[in-house]
């Protein structure tokens, strides 16, 4: 690999990482919404949820989100914070939930990131 190839590869990687980060909730915004009563929705499968989950999270798998969310959270003003294992399913879930008319929907991203963002401050 020559120097130009390396630079191009690094630029492509940087753009990919920047675009990926743009879809994630900003930590301060997520924490503020949690303080205002936001609900955390874990869109992983029931088996994944059983293996480990955030104490305040409600498990609504991505495949059931469109049907179950309006029944479980009928108030579309309720802020919703979605997460999954990697952030991909919660990003897809954010699009679904926003399409249902919910006004405040954030993607917390991966389980680890969601855990860090929802942990009480010392």
């Amino acid at each position: 690999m020559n120097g130009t190839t390396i630079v191009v590869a690094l630029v492509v990687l940087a753009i990919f990482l920047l675009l990926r980060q743009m879809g994630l909730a900003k930590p301060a915004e997520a924490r503020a919404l949690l303080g205002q009563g936001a609900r955390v929705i874990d869109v992983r499968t029931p088996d994944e949820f059983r293996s480990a989950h955030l104490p305040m999270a409600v498990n609504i798998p991505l495949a059931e989100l469109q049907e179950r969310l309006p029944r479980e959270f009928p108030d579309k003003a309720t802020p919703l914070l979605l997460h999954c294992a990697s952030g991909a399913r919660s990003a897809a879930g954010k699009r679904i939930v926003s399409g249902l008319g919910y006004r405040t929907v954030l993607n917390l991203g991966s389980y680890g990131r969601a855990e860090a963002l929802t942990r009480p401050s010392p």
Side-chain angles (χ1 to χ4, degrees):
M1 291 176 79
N2 64 32
T4 304
T5 304
I6 292 171
V7 170
V8 169
L10 289 174
V11 168
V12 168
L13 177 62
I15 291 170
F16 170 78
L17 292 174
L18 179 63
L19 290 173
R20 185 168 179 228
Q21 287 292 338
M22 287 174 50
L24 296 178
K26 292 178 176 53
E29 183 179 14
R31 289 187 178 110
L33 287 171
L34 280 168
Q36 298 167 16
R39 300 303 305 264
V40 177
I41 310 296
D42 184 331
V43 299
R44 298 176 302 153
T45 66
D47 285 342
E48 288 173 298
F49 187 80
R50 274 190 296 277
S51 73
H53 64 271
L54 303 175
M56 77 292 289
V58 175
N59 183 222
I60 305 177
L62 182 63
E64 301 171 18
L65 200 56
Q66 193 160 6
E67 179 186 329
R68 283 186 49 199
L69 191 70
R71 284 197 321 254
E72 296 192 32
F73 299 99
D75 182 359
K76 294 189 177 187
T78 302
L80 301 173
L81 308 177
L82 281 59
H83 82 86
C84 64
S86 69
R89 284 177 284 178
S90 52
K94 179 181 175 186
R95 286 189 295 276
I96 291 167
V97 173
S98 294
L100 291 172
Y102 288 84
R103 293 192 281 270
T104 306
V105 185
L106 299 180
N107 177 9
L108 295 180
S110 70
Y111 177 83
R113 186 170 190 270
E115 184 178 40
L117 290 175
T118 59
R119 189 176 305 130
S121 300

